[in-house]
Amino acid sequence: MMQRTKIKYFLCGILFLLAFETVNGQLRPLDTIAYKSWQKIERAQLSDDGKWFIYKKTFFDQEEAEKDKSIFRLKNTTDGSETLLEETEDLRFFANGNWLMFRKTTEKDSRILMELKNKQLYHIPYDINISSETTLITWQQPYPKDADMQGFFRLCYCYAGKQDTLSIEGIKFFQIYDHDRSIICLRKDGQNVTLCHGRLGGQLTPLVLFRATENIIQKSNIREIIGKSPENFLLNSSKTGGLFYLNGSSIYTFSLHNNNCQLIVNLNDYTLPTPMIWNLQQTILPDHHRYVIANAIIHSPYPKVQKNPFEPEIWKWDDEIVQSRKKHQQKEYEGNPARYIIYPQTQTYFQILPKGFDRLILSPGKDDSIALATDKRPYLWRYDWKYGEYTDIYVVNLRNGHRRLLLAETLWIPTWSPDGQIALLYDCFKKKWLRYEVATDLLTPIETKYPIYNEQHDQPCPPTPYGIAGWTSDGKPVVYDRYDLWELPINNQQSPRSLTQENGRKSNIIFRLQKEQINSINTQKGLLLKSVNENSREEGIWDLQADGKLRKRISGAYALKIHSISKDRQHYLWTRESYQEFRDFWISGPDFKKSRRLTEANPQQKEYAWGKCQLTEWTAPNGEKMRGLLYLPENFDSTRRWPVVVQFYETHTEAIHTYYIPSPSGGMADISTIVSQGYVVFMPDVHFRVGEPGQSCYDAVISGTQMLIAKGIADSSKIALQGHSWSGYLAAYLVGNSSLFRCAILGAAVVNTTSCYGSIRDGSGRAHMIMYEDTQCRIGKSLWEAPDIYIKNSPLFYAHKITTPLLICHCDKDEAVPFSQGMEFYFAMRRLQKPAWLLNYRGEGHFLSTPQAKKDWTIKMSQFLDYYLKDAPLPYWMEKTSNVKKKPN
């Protein structure tokens, strides 16, 4: 009996294994047909009370998306019930989340309101405006064309769920304020227009009467102005008053408390040097009304001379801006107008900034005698080889117009403290934060315990700072270092204080503020932080409590993102994502317990072989510790060797939790697809040494690939290499210096740094020399300073050593890398009679954009890899075009 039982269990086990294999055998590899089924979540919104969630599922595939009807889904976050809203758009919660507004796609000028507690619908046949806080609804009704009311409208309003509609006649412009209880408007009054205000639904009080003529009227206590009324007005931030412009030269202010209006300045009373004239655009009038800052532009009475179409374009050696950049950024380089400050009480005025200064940064504090200004003109001429928009920082005295250079050649725009007592600047070359104190007029460096600039920066240009998180309530800046948050002192008697008590650096965890809290940091109430473990790449959400202690709310092996938080902060809408999990939406309380999944965008993923992603580490021959990502197929078996595709750019380990949407490729091969088709994908991190980009890449990629062979993962005869753009260049360098790869795919690659150095990036109008001297290509010197380094790092000069068959994609409208680079490599391979195929999708750019081109490229890459790594039949497009035997040279 015992023997028969054992046999029975044995047979059951065999049947289970067979059933398991059958189920696994049903998992399909991804292909171009599968791409059509993947969807994404769009237009997600959480109501203010956190009880309702709306979203839309849309196909990634362009053709499928065009067929898709506009269907939104309204979900109750408590019970999970869902209502479909078909052919709808422009959805928006209002009245603190109690109501939803939307419109039918077939009815452009009407709106539907839904009372969410009972799903009752109300149809309003107008294009309406709603309040986010209350149930107030407004809309505008035009007058008949034959009425004497052109330029005016009837303002109608009601409250959601109520039938009564009220209206105000003859409105030109209006604003509703005071929590939707009050209105201020320009309104027609007979032949005149009044600026009036008051309770909505009550009697309106006139502030200003704009009279069309000088007819005698009954005396009144309101301000009368002869002439055309303004088109609009501006309310101040406190909603206690505002201003309006008249006749292109006059600025008036009004007070709602005192019910008065006064002329602040008439620019025509102030004479400018010829040929300058005043321009009211971007005029600045602070709430205190002590001064006006106005623009002065150059006026020419002569019409512009039409250019002769046969006139040549002249490129001068000493041009401040080359012609190609002017075409792309003409307005940016024209420069801002001169700025003048006017003091109406003393009727004095003077220039504070000449033409060309970029920006004037006014202090937000009560003492507004000092401002900061930026000027990038001294550095415009070198933008072709220097990265970033360098600028000089000036301190400007608004009482006398005196300017003093505060900091030269920086890439950081200064930031004022909320009280205007200090400003934070950054010195790019000394790599320090600087503090400017208004009281002392001194600029001093702030010493910090750890670097506040990017410690892993590996380009020739200066490193950027980790950034500023915001300002505390007592006016102290909070900045980041690599791991922690630091409160900087406001004087030299204090020292920086780590708000996170250096716990980030101690545990290799990067802490950053949630975006919603930037600019205003109240350390007494606690802060919400996002974390990334630099070793495992796990992400989390933490509380930084008032006593400085850190409390973890949630963390895991995924990427986290908080999208919104309800008004009462009891409902958190967030997504989590990993290589295996699409970024669906979840909701929870602030402790992230009892989390509920709200969406499932792609349930069909379970039908496909997907695989997994893991970190891998190794040591390069020079002793450097290396890291990378390894993507393993669904049926990965560690006892056998696999075909491997090595694909890389710069660093990838920070993207370990990225979910790759299966889709046609516009450049690099789609990772989820090639893993699904049975390839191991290896993505090594590459950190560069300035002057040695090629060798840096070689040390990382080759050693990492050899590690896969040594571990028994990679079949040494079936390893492919792929790169696009920057990594296309690096891949071209590798195949000229190694025979490790069975085949290689190169997209939009630079192969000759000497010929590319002076060519133009059509997308920006800049010369490529900036890439080599200062940024990504990392040579760090000009071509004439180091010609040997340029040649050493040019794959073209290694073409004769190449033993790897190449598939090259380079398109004739590439806006980043000249098409001639692809042709140089193709002709080199052709001249040397080495196997290479070049695909030019005519009219396409740096990345493929049309569905047809992307689909074809995806298929051809797959065929190329399968031929060399899986012994598949030779694709027709790779076959020889002639059987004629070529004579030797």
Side-chain angles (χ1 to χ4, degrees):
M1 183 73 178
M2 181 69 71
Q3 186 67 25
R4 277 188 293 178
T5 303
K6 286 182 178 180
I7 293 172
K8 180 182 176 182
Y9 283 146
F10 175 77
L11 290 174
C12 287
I14 292 294
L15 290 172
F16 173 79
L17 289 173
L18 288 173
F20 180 79
E21 286 296 322
T22 303
V23 171
N24 264 335
Q26 292 175 353
L27 292 177
R28 293 174 286 167
L30 290 163
D31 54 24
T32 54
I33 296 174
Y35 298 160
K36 292 181 176 293
S37 64
W38 250 260
Q39 296 189 81
K40 57 186 173 181
I41 306 296
E42 288 186 333
R43 318 274 182 86
Q45 291 183 51
L46 183 68
S47 61
D48 283 346
D49 59 6
K51 295 178 181 178
W52 300 94
F53 172 64
I54 53 175
Y55 68 99
K56 179 181 179 182
K57 292 172 70 173
T58 307
F59 286 98
F60 279 95
D61 183 82
Q62 185 176 327
E63 292 178 356
E64 293 299 315
E66 289 173 356
K67 299 176 192 175
D68 191 23
K69 290 184 178 180
S70 183
I71 300 176
F72 277 84
R73 299 162 190 265
L74 172 67
K75 175 162 282 195
N76 185 312
T77 62
T78 302
D79 61 23
S81 60
E82 193 167 81
T83 303
L84 298 184
L85 302 172
E86 298 186 16
E87 296 183 340
T88 55
E89 56 189 6
D90 296 343
L91 287 83
R92 182 180 164 191
F93 291 113
F94 68 104
N96 292 315
N98 294 308
W99 287 78
L100 176 68
M101 180 192 77
F102 57 92
R103 68 181 174 93
K104 288 286 187 179
T105 55
T106 54
E107 302 174 31
K108 299 293 184 183
D109 297 324
S110 64
R111 296 292 185 271
I112 297 172
L113 307 180
M114 177 187 285
E115 191 172 8
L116 292 171
K117 66 180 179 181
N118 54 24
K119 303 287 181 65
Q120 187 170 349
L121 300 178
Y122 299 84
H123 187 275
I124 299 181
Y126 305 108
D127 185 0
I128 63 174
N129 296 304
I130 57 174
S131 165
S132 61
E133 296 182 356
T134 71
T135 59
L136 177 67
I137 303 164
T138 62
W139 66 93
Q140 301 173 15
Q141 284 187 349
Y143 291 103
K145 291 183 178 179
D146 56 353
D148 185 26
M149 297 292 282
Q150 296 308 303
F152 297 86
F153 55 85
R154 178 184 294 115
L155 175 64
C156 302
Y157 64 96
C158 68
Y159 294 88
K162 297 183 179 179
Q163 301 297 320
D164 295 336
T165 297
L166 303 174
S167 63
I168 307 174
E169 299 291 337
I171 299 297
K172 186 176 185 179
F173 182 80
F174 74 99
Q175 272 191 260
I176 293 174
Y177 63 102
D178 189 24
H179 302 289
D180 298 331
R181 292 178 297 208
S182 301
I183 184 172
I184 177 171
C185 57
L186 287 165
R187 183 184 182 194
K188 191 167 185 180
D189 183 7
Q191 295 302 310
N192 305 315
V193 175
T194 60
L195 175 65
C196 47
H197 68 105
R199 285 287 184 177
L200 196 60
Q203 188 69 31
L204 298 182
T205 302
L207 265 169
V208 187
L209 175 66
F210 301 95
R211 292 179 50 76
T213 63
E214 296 188 38
N215 295 335
I216 298 174
I217 65 167
Q218 195 171 13
K219 288 185 178 180
S220 66
N221 61 353
I222 67 171
R223 178 68 183 264
E224 297 179 24
I225 299 175
I226 306 298
K228 185 180 178 181
S229 67
E231 295 299 316
N232 52 38
F233 53 81
L234 297 172
L235 278 180
N236 58 28
S237 57
S238 61
K239 303 297 187 292
T240 57
L243 62 88
F244 57 83
Y245 304 123
L246 272 186
N247 306 321
S249 61
S250 299
I251 303 174
Y252 288 80
T253 62
F254 56 86
S255 169
L256 299 179
H257 286 170
N258 301 326
N259 206 56
N260 62 17
C261 172
Q262 62 177 330
L263 173 67
I264 292 295
V265 66
N266 183 343
L267 296 178
N268 291 334
D269 294 338
Y270 300 88
T271 305
L272 289 171
T274 306
M276 301 181 79
I277 60 171
W278 293 108
N279 183 353
L280 267 181
Q281 288 185 357
Q282 298 177 336
T283 300
I284 298 171
L285 177 64
D287 285 350
H288 54 63
H289 304 161
R290 286 195 291 269
Y291 60 73
V292 175
I293 296 176
N295 293 338
I297 60 175
I298 296 175
H299 172 69
S300 174
Y302 305 105
K304 288 186 177 180
V305 179
Q306 194 71 25
K307 280 190 175 182
N308 187 332
F310 300 103
E311 183 179 336
E313 185 178 78
I314 302 175
W315 294 55
K316 301 177 183 177
W317 71 273
D318 57 352
D319 276 341
E320 186 175 64
I321 304 157
V322 297
Q323 298 294 327
S324 55
R325 278 168 47 215
K326 283 182 179 179
K327 291 176 184 176
H328 285 272
Q329 299 164 299
Q330 180 66 45
K331 288 185 179 179
E332 179 182 350
Y333 294 128
E334 284 177 352
N336 288 312
R339 272 157 277 194
Y340 282 74
I341 190 166
I342 301 170
Y343 287 93
Q345 290 184 345
T346 59
Q347 294 188 324
T348 56
Y349 69 109
F350 45 82
Q351 186 183 89
I352 52 172
L353 292 182
K355 182 181 183 304
F357 267 68
D358 306 311
R359 53 173 67 82
L360 181 68
I361 309 169
L362 296 175
S363 166
K366 294 180 180 180
D367 180 6
D368 57 358
S369 61
I370 296 295
L372 299 174
T374 63
D375 182 16
K376 63 184 178 185
R377 291 174 300 168
Y379 311 104
L380 290 177
W381 66 280
R382 66 180 199 183
Y383 272 16
D384 291 306
W385 57 88
K386 279 292 183 184
Y387 171 73
E389 297 190 352
Y390 286 90
T391 186
D392 290 339
I393 311 294
Y394 286 82
V395 59
V396 183
N397 188 317
L398 299 181
R399 300 288 169 80
N400 56 27
H402 176 71
R403 291 187 306 278
R404 177 173 68 84
L405 180 64
L406 191 62
L407 178 65
E409 202 171 353
T410 183
L411 290 167
W412 183 269
I413 303 304
T415 306
W416 282 108
S417 62
D419 59 7
Q421 294 302 304
I422 68 169
L424 196 65
L425 290 77
Y426 179 69
D427 189 317
C428 299
F429 300 100
K430 294 181 179 178
K431 296 178 282 192
K432 291 181 181 293
W433 286 113
L434 307 174
R435 178 182 58 243
Y436 172 69
E437 298 175 75
V438 173
T440 61
D441 194 31
L442 293 176
L443 182 68
T444 54
I446 304 174
E447 299 299 330
T448 53
K449 187 173 181 180
Y450 303 107
I452 45 76
Y453 57 88
N454 185 355
E455 293 182 39
Q456 297 167 304
H457 182 76
D458 61 359
Q459 296 184 3
C461 59
T464 55
Y466 285 107
I468 178 171
W471 297 82
T472 63
S473 54
D474 56 350
K476 294 177 181 177
V478 176
V479 302
Y480 300 118
D481 72 0
R482 182 172 175 175
Y483 300 102
D484 294 293
L485 285 77
W486 290 84
E487 180 187 84
L488 300 183
I490 56 176
N491 57 54
N492 291 327
Q493 282 70 49
Q494 300 171 325
S495 299
R497 178 174 72 96
S498 175
L499 297 182
T500 47
Q501 298 183 359
E502 301 184 39
N503 282 307
R505 189 169 291 270
K506 293 172 187 174
S507 53
N508 279 5
I509 295 178
I510 301 166
F511 288 110
R512 296 294 183 260
L513 273 182
Q514 282 292 304
K515 286 185 178 179
E516 59 162 358
Q517 295 174 309
I518 287 178
N519 296 330
S520 179
I521 298 176
N522 190 337
T523 55
Q524 299 306 309
K525 288 187 176 181
L527 303 171
L528 192 64
L529 303 182
K530 169 83 175 286
S531 72
V532 179
N533 186 301
E534 204 172 54
N535 293 331
S536 67
R537 305 308 303 183
E538 285 191 356
E539 296 192 10
I541 303 296
W542 298 65
D543 279 323
L544 175 59
Q545 299 171 339
D547 59 5
K549 293 181 179 179
L550 286 163
R551 181 177 68 88
K552 186 194 301 182
R553 292 191 183 186
I554 184 176
S555 70
Y558 36 67
L560 278 170
K561 181 179 180 182
I562 295 178
H563 285 261
S564 55
I565 302 174
S566 62
K567 267 192 172 181
D568 62 5
R569 305 191 69 79
Q570 295 306 301
H571 301 86
Y572 282 59
L573 180 69
W574 47 280
T575 59
R576 76 180 194 193
E577 174 185 1
S578 71
Y579 174 71
Q580 295 175 307
E581 182 179 353
F582 179 78
R583 45 189 172 274
D584 279 300
F585 280 85
W586 296 69
I587 195 164
S588 70
D591 58 2
F592 288 85
K593 295 178 181 178
K594 298 181 180 179
S595 300
R596 299 185 301 282
R597 185 173 179 171
L598 296 178
T599 65
E600 187 177 11
N602 297 295
Q604 78 284 1
Q605 180 183 320
K606 293 188 286 286
E607 302 171 13
Y608 293 92
W610 198 260
K612 62 181 180 180
C613 176
Q614 64 184 39
L615 274 171
T616 185
E617 298 180 337
W618 69 99
T619 302
N622 62 3
E624 186 178 355
K625 299 295 183 182
M626 298 289 185
R627 303 180 88 193
L629 298 182
L630 202 57
Y631 295 87
L632 304 175
E634 191 80 28
N635 60 341
F636 179 75
D637 179 357
S638 61
T639 64
R640 54 166 284 204
R641 292 184 178 271
W642 293 78
V644 173
V645 177
V646 179
Q647 182 173 292
F648 66 96
Y649 196 80
E650 293 207 4
T651 61
H652 300 279
T653 49
E654 69 275 8
I656 186 174
H657 303 307
T658 298
Y659 180 93
Y660 291 98
I661 305 297
S663 57
S665 172
M668 301 277 262
D670 179 63
I671 291 176
S672 53
T673 300
I674 52 179
V675 172
S676 178
Q677 292 174 349
Y679 291 99
V680 169
V681 175
F682 176 47
M683 300 182 73
D685 282 353
V686 181
H687 297 280
F688 295 90
R689 300 181 295 274
V690 174
E692 300 180 10
Q695 187 62 42
S696 302
C697 175
Y698 183 96
D699 292 345
V701 176
I702 299 299
S703 65
T705 308
Q706 289 171 337
M707 172 270 296
L708 296 184
I709 298 171
K711 283 187 174 182
I713 295 173
D715 182 336
S716 60
S717 65
K718 294 181 178 181
I719 303 174
L721 178 68
Q722 185 185 25
H724 183 88
S725 190
W726 168 236
S727 65
Y729 151 75
L730 295 168
Y733 178 91
L734 292 178
V735 296
N737 288 274
S738 174
S739 58
L740 185 59
F741 305 102
R742 182 68 185 91
C743 63
I745 303 173
L746 314 178
V750 170
V751 296
N752 186 351
T753 62
T754 64
S755 61
C756 191
Y757 176 79
S759 63
I760 291 173
R761 293 174 64 90
D762 288 339
S764 65
R766 278 186 168 183
H768 276 93
M769 54 182 64
I770 187 175
M771 305 288 290
Y772 294 99
E773 293 193 33
D774 225 28
T775 60
Q776 189 177 54
C777 299
R778 297 171 170 91
I779 298 295
K781 295 180 180 179
S782 73
L783 178 61
W784 303 276
E785 291 175 299
D788 55 329
I789 297 180
Y790 279 82
I791 293 172
K792 182 180 179 182
N793 285 280
S794 292
L796 184 68
F797 295 100
Y798 303 101
H800 61 292
K801 297 182 180 180
I802 294 175
T803 59
T804 306
L806 304 180
L807 175 59
I808 303 167
C809 180
H810 210 135
C811 300
D812 53 11
K813 296 301 180 184
D814 193 317
E815 71 283 3
V817 177
F819 178 53
S820 59
Q821 290 291 309
M823 297 310 296
E824 282 193 49
F825 215 37
Y826 163 76
F827 277 111
M829 297 296 285
R830 174 179 170 82
R831 175 68 182 84
L832 295 165
Q833 285 295 284
K834 294 176 181 288
W837 295 260
L838 183 141
L839 301 180
N840 170 25
Y841 293 93
R842 290 183 292 273
E844 293 284 339
H846 193 58
F847 293 98
L848 303 180
S849 58
T850 61
Q852 298 87 347
K854 291 198 287 188
K855 181 178 179 180
D856 186 77
W857 173 235
T858 300
I859 292 172
K860 283 186 168 55
M861 278 196 294
S862 179
Q863 292 172 339
F864 184 78
L865 292 172
D866 288 350
Y867 173 70
Y868 282 108
L869 303 190
K870 291 185 177 180
D871 300 321
L874 182 72
Y876 75 92
W877 54 272
M878 291 173 63
E879 294 174 356
K880 288 186 178 181
T881 55
S882 172
N883 291 321
V884 178
K885 190 173 181 180
K886 299 179 177 66
K887 294 181 181 180
N889 292 335

